[in-house]
Amino acid sequence: MTLIDGQLIREHVKQECQKYKSIFQASQKEVAIIRFEASENASNELGARYEAARISAEQKVAIFNAIGITPNYIVLSPNIAVEQFDGIVQSINEDGKVTAAIVQYPIPAKFTSSIGLLEPQKDIDIVRRQSNNFFESCATAEGIARIVESYAQRDSNVAVVGGGGFVGNGVIQYLEASRISCFCLEDGDDLTRTQEADIVVSVTGRRGIFTDYVLPSYHRLVVDGGFTPTASGAAGDVNRSAYSIPRTLRPSLEVLAR
């Protein structure tokens, strides 16, 4: 069994970026990172998604600080007026120091049209769901898709569970552009249909919905892109009973392979 630890990869990338830290600092460029807080009446499930967004946003802040790019971290109440949010987006567009912007999902529905105001060249996480000259999909989706691409064969069939969501849709778009066949499932569908695929990607954020029964051992690769904060750390979509599957990408970005 071979273990590839994603945390070690992340630290390696950070160290590589250190070579350019002085250049980044001299440029005095900034990155805007925006996230919304959960509303008071949010369900436990939705609240968990907002908590995951908080952790993700704070990790991005720490990484940008580490490589010498100033993060402008903006935390917004879900109760702010649409006009206020529009103004924040427009100020990001007009600020020459802000070289890029990330708007963390989930985003309250009333701001959906406001996201379209973001300048495409500053939308580095493709939150507008439209490619620019640099990226086709969000970084998480592209990272997952590239791993899948390396395992896929000409006749591969990939099941993407949560394919209608922000990350899942990006995975499907990337793979289909690479001529890799995919089909989409959502949480609540018959998940045993994943047995039709030789590669499975799950990005629902629903803790432990996959078991060893749903994910039989013949899958070439299972990518667990779920992230649910817990008291002891984080959990993914795949139940621990399925961790013996020959190749699994776990929530901590570890790849288990035999």
Side-chain angles (χ1 to χ4, degrees), residues 217-248:
S217 60
Y218 57 73
H219 289 303
R220 181 179 300 120
L221 175 72
V222 175
V223 181
D224 185 353
F227 177 76
T228 302
T230 68
S232 58
D237 292 357
V238 178
N239 189 286
R240 294 191 67 87
S241 67
Y243 277 16
S244 61
I245 292 173
R247 299 181 179 94
T248 304

Short mmCIF file of all heavy atoms in Angstrom, two decimals, residues 217-248:
data_model
loop_
_atom_site.label_atom_id
_atom_site.label_comp_id
_atom_site.label_asym_id
_atom_site.label_seq_id
_atom_site.Cartn_x
_atom_site.Cartn_y
_atom_site.Cartn_z
N SER A 217 -15.01 -3.15 -4.15
CA SER A 217 -13.55 -3.07 -4.21
C SER A 217 -13.00 -3.00 -5.62
O SER A 217 -11.80 -2.78 -5.80
CB SER A 217 -12.95 -4.28 -3.49
OG SER A 217 -13.37 -5.48 -4.10
N TYR A 218 -13.82 -3.16 -6.65
CA TYR A 218 -13.26 -3.16 -8.00
C TYR A 218 -13.07 -1.77 -8.60
O TYR A 218 -12.58 -1.64 -9.71
CB TYR A 218 -14.13 -4.00 -8.96
CG TYR A 218 -15.58 -3.58 -9.07
CD1 TYR A 218 -15.97 -2.42 -9.73
CD2 TYR A 218 -16.58 -4.36 -8.50
CE1 TYR A 218 -17.28 -2.05 -9.83
CE2 TYR A 218 -17.90 -4.01 -8.59
CZ TYR A 218 -18.27 -2.86 -9.27
OH TYR A 218 -19.58 -2.50 -9.35
N HIS A 219 -13.47 -0.72 -7.91
CA HIS A 219 -13.24 0.62 -8.43
C HIS A 219 -11.74 0.89 -8.55
O HIS A 219 -10.96 0.55 -7.65
CB HIS A 219 -13.86 1.69 -7.52
CG HIS A 219 -15.35 1.72 -7.57
ND1 HIS A 219 -16.05 1.92 -8.73
CD2 HIS A 219 -16.28 1.59 -6.59
CE1 HIS A 219 -17.35 1.90 -8.47
NE2 HIS A 219 -17.51 1.71 -7.18
N ARG A 220 -11.35 1.48 -9.66
CA ARG A 220 -9.95 1.84 -9.85
C ARG A 220 -9.56 2.99 -8.92
O ARG A 220 -8.44 3.05 -8.42
CB ARG A 220 -9.71 2.23 -11.30
CG ARG A 220 -8.26 2.59 -11.62
CD ARG A 220 -8.06 2.96 -13.08
NE ARG A 220 -8.42 1.84 -13.94
CZ ARG A 220 -9.39 1.88 -14.86
NH1 ARG A 220 -10.06 3.00 -15.06
NH2 ARG A 220 -9.66 0.84 -15.60
N LEU A 221 -10.49 3.92 -8.73
CA LEU A 221 -10.19 5.09 -7.91
C LEU A 221 -11.48 5.61 -7.30
O LEU A 221 -12.51 5.65 -7.97
CB LEU A 221 -9.55 6.19 -8.78
CG LEU A 221 -9.27 7.54 -8.12
CD1 LEU A 221 -8.11 7.42 -7.15
CD2 LEU A 221 -8.96 8.61 -9.17
N VAL A 222 -11.41 6.02 -6.05
CA VAL A 222 -12.51 6.71 -5.40
C VAL A 222 -11.95 8.01 -4.82
O VAL A 222 -11.00 8.00 -4.05
CB VAL A 222 -13.14 5.87 -4.27
CG1 VAL A 222 -14.21 6.68 -3.54
CG2 VAL A 222 -13.72 4.58 -4.82
N VAL A 223 -12.53 9.12 -5.24
CA VAL A 223 -12.08 10.42 -4.78
C VAL A 223 -13.11 10.97 -3.80
O VAL A 223 -14.25 11.22 -4.18
CB VAL A 223 -11.89 11.41 -5.95
CG1 VAL A 223 -11.39 12.76 -5.43
CG2 VAL A 223 -10.92 10.85 -6.97
N ASP A 224 -12.69 11.15 -2.58
CA ASP A 224 -13.57 11.70 -1.55
C ASP A 224 -13.27 13.18 -1.40
O ASP A 224 -12.32 13.57 -0.73
CB ASP A 224 -13.35 10.96 -0.22
CG ASP A 224 -14.32 11.40 0.86
OD1 ASP A 224 -15.07 12.37 0.63
OD2 ASP A 224 -14.32 10.77 1.93
N GLY A 225 -14.08 14.01 -2.05
CA GLY A 225 -13.89 15.45 -1.99
C GLY A 225 -14.77 16.13 -0.96
O GLY A 225 -14.86 17.35 -0.92
N GLY A 226 -15.44 15.33 -0.11
CA GLY A 226 -16.30 15.91 0.91
C GLY A 226 -15.50 16.47 2.07
O GLY A 226 -14.41 15.99 2.38
N PHE A 227 -16.05 17.49 2.71
CA PHE A 227 -15.39 18.10 3.87
C PHE A 227 -16.45 18.55 4.85
O PHE A 227 -17.20 19.48 4.57
CB PHE A 227 -14.52 19.28 3.43
CG PHE A 227 -13.86 20.00 4.58
CD1 PHE A 227 -12.77 19.45 5.23
CD2 PHE A 227 -14.36 21.22 5.03
CE1 PHE A 227 -12.17 20.11 6.29
CE2 PHE A 227 -13.77 21.89 6.10
CZ PHE A 227 -12.67 21.33 6.72
N THR A 228 -16.52 17.85 5.97
CA THR A 228 -17.46 18.22 7.03
C THR A 228 -16.70 18.39 8.33
O THR A 228 -16.08 17.43 8.82
CB THR A 228 -18.53 17.13 7.22
OG1 THR A 228 -19.23 16.92 5.98
CG2 THR A 228 -19.54 17.55 8.30
N PRO A 229 -16.67 19.59 8.91
CA PRO A 229 -15.96 19.79 10.18
C PRO A 229 -16.57 18.95 11.29
O PRO A 229 -17.79 18.81 11.38
CB PRO A 229 -16.15 21.28 10.46
CG PRO A 229 -16.50 21.89 9.15
CD PRO A 229 -17.26 20.84 8.41
N THR A 230 -15.72 18.37 12.13
CA THR A 230 -16.17 17.61 13.28
C THR A 230 -15.36 18.05 14.50
O THR A 230 -14.37 18.78 14.37
CB THR A 230 -15.98 16.10 13.07
OG1 THR A 230 -14.57 15.80 13.03
CG2 THR A 230 -16.62 15.63 11.77
N ALA A 231 -15.79 17.58 15.66
CA ALA A 231 -15.08 17.94 16.89
C ALA A 231 -13.64 17.45 16.87
O ALA A 231 -12.76 18.04 17.50
CB ALA A 231 -15.82 17.36 18.09
N SER A 232 -13.39 16.36 16.15
CA SER A 232 -12.05 15.77 16.13
C SER A 232 -11.25 16.13 14.87
O SER A 232 -10.16 15.62 14.67
CB SER A 232 -12.15 14.24 16.23
OG SER A 232 -12.94 13.72 15.19
N GLY A 233 -11.81 16.97 14.02
CA GLY A 233 -11.10 17.36 12.81
C GLY A 233 -12.04 17.54 11.64
O GLY A 233 -12.78 18.51 11.58
N ALA A 234 -12.02 16.58 10.71
CA ALA A 234 -12.88 16.66 9.53
C ALA A 234 -13.25 15.26 9.07
O ALA A 234 -12.54 14.29 9.33
CB ALA A 234 -12.18 17.40 8.40
N ALA A 235 -14.39 15.16 8.40
CA ALA A 235 -14.85 13.89 7.84
C ALA A 235 -15.24 14.12 6.40
O ALA A 235 -15.59 15.22 5.99
CB ALA A 235 -16.04 13.35 8.64
N GLY A 236 -15.19 13.04 5.62
CA GLY A 236 -15.55 13.13 4.22
C GLY A 236 -16.84 12.41 3.92
O GLY A 236 -17.58 12.00 4.82
N ASP A 237 -17.12 12.23 2.64
CA ASP A 237 -18.33 11.54 2.21
C ASP A 237 -18.24 10.03 2.41
O ASP A 237 -19.27 9.35 2.49
CB ASP A 237 -18.60 11.81 0.72
CG ASP A 237 -18.98 13.26 0.43
OD1 ASP A 237 -19.10 14.05 1.39
OD2 ASP A 237 -19.18 13.59 -0.74
N VAL A 238 -17.02 9.52 2.44
CA VAL A 238 -16.82 8.07 2.50
C VAL A 238 -16.73 7.60 3.95
O VAL A 238 -15.90 8.08 4.72
CB VAL A 238 -15.56 7.65 1.72
CG1 VAL A 238 -15.33 6.15 1.84
CG2 VAL A 238 -15.68 8.07 0.26
N ASN A 239 -17.61 6.64 4.29
CA ASN A 239 -17.58 6.03 5.61
C ASN A 239 -16.28 5.26 5.80
O ASN A 239 -15.75 4.68 4.85
CB ASN A 239 -18.78 5.11 5.76
CG ASN A 239 -18.94 4.60 7.18
OD1 ASN A 239 -18.20 3.75 7.63
ND2 ASN A 239 -19.94 5.13 7.88
N ARG A 240 -15.77 5.23 7.01
CA ARG A 240 -14.50 4.56 7.28
C ARG A 240 -14.54 3.08 6.90
O ARG A 240 -13.50 2.48 6.62
CB ARG A 240 -14.12 4.71 8.74
CG ARG A 240 -13.81 6.13 9.17
CD ARG A 240 -13.18 6.17 10.56
NE ARG A 240 -11.87 5.58 10.55
CZ ARG A 240 -10.74 6.23 10.27
NH1 ARG A 240 -10.79 7.52 9.94
NH2 ARG A 240 -9.58 5.63 10.29
N SER A 241 -15.73 2.48 6.84
CA SER A 241 -15.83 1.07 6.47
C SER A 241 -15.37 0.83 5.04
O SER A 241 -15.05 -0.30 4.66
CB SER A 241 -17.28 0.58 6.62
OG SER A 241 -18.13 1.22 5.68
N ALA A 242 -15.33 1.90 4.23
CA ALA A 242 -14.92 1.76 2.82
C ALA A 242 -13.47 2.15 2.60
O ALA A 242 -13.01 2.18 1.46
CB ALA A 242 -15.83 2.61 1.95
N TYR A 243 -12.72 2.42 3.66
CA TYR A 243 -11.34 2.86 3.48
C TYR A 243 -10.42 1.75 2.98
O TYR A 243 -9.27 2.02 2.62
CB TYR A 243 -10.79 3.42 4.79
CG TYR A 243 -11.15 4.86 5.06
CD1 TYR A 243 -12.18 5.48 4.36
CD2 TYR A 243 -10.47 5.60 6.01
CE1 TYR A 243 -12.52 6.79 4.61
CE2 TYR A 243 -10.81 6.92 6.27
CZ TYR A 243 -11.83 7.51 5.56
OH TYR A 243 -12.16 8.82 5.82
N SER A 244 -10.89 0.51 2.95
CA SER A 244 -10.06 -0.59 2.47
C SER A 244 -10.11 -0.73 0.95
O SER A 244 -9.44 -1.59 0.39
CB SER A 244 -10.50 -1.90 3.11
OG SER A 244 -11.85 -2.19 2.77
N ILE A 245 -10.91 0.11 0.29
CA ILE A 245 -10.95 0.08 -1.17
C ILE A 245 -9.54 0.33 -1.70
O ILE A 245 -8.82 1.18 -1.17
CB ILE A 245 -11.93 1.15 -1.70
CG1 ILE A 245 -13.36 0.76 -1.30
CG2 ILE A 245 -11.83 1.33 -3.19
CD1 ILE A 245 -14.38 1.80 -1.60
N PRO A 246 -9.11 -0.38 -2.76
CA PRO A 246 -7.73 -0.31 -3.19
C PRO A 246 -7.15 1.09 -3.36
O PRO A 246 -6.04 1.35 -2.96
CB PRO A 246 -7.75 -1.06 -4.53
CG PRO A 246 -8.82 -2.07 -4.34
CD PRO A 246 -9.87 -1.38 -3.50
N ARG A 247 -7.90 1.99 -3.95
CA ARG A 247 -7.34 3.33 -4.13
C ARG A 247 -8.39 4.35 -3.70
O ARG A 247 -9.46 4.41 -4.25
CB ARG A 247 -6.95 3.57 -5.59
CG ARG A 247 -5.87 2.61 -6.10
CD ARG A 247 -5.52 2.93 -7.54
NE ARG A 247 -4.49 2.04 -8.03
CZ ARG A 247 -4.73 0.91 -8.70
NH1 ARG A 247 -5.96 0.55 -8.94
NH2 ARG A 247 -3.73 0.16 -9.12
N THR A 248 -8.04 5.17 -2.73
CA THR A 248 -9.01 6.12 -2.19
C THR A 248 -8.34 7.46 -1.92
O THR A 248 -7.29 7.50 -1.30
CB THR A 248 -9.63 5.61 -0.87
OG1 THR A 248 -10.22 4.35 -1.08
CG2 THR A 248 -10.68 6.59 -0.36
#
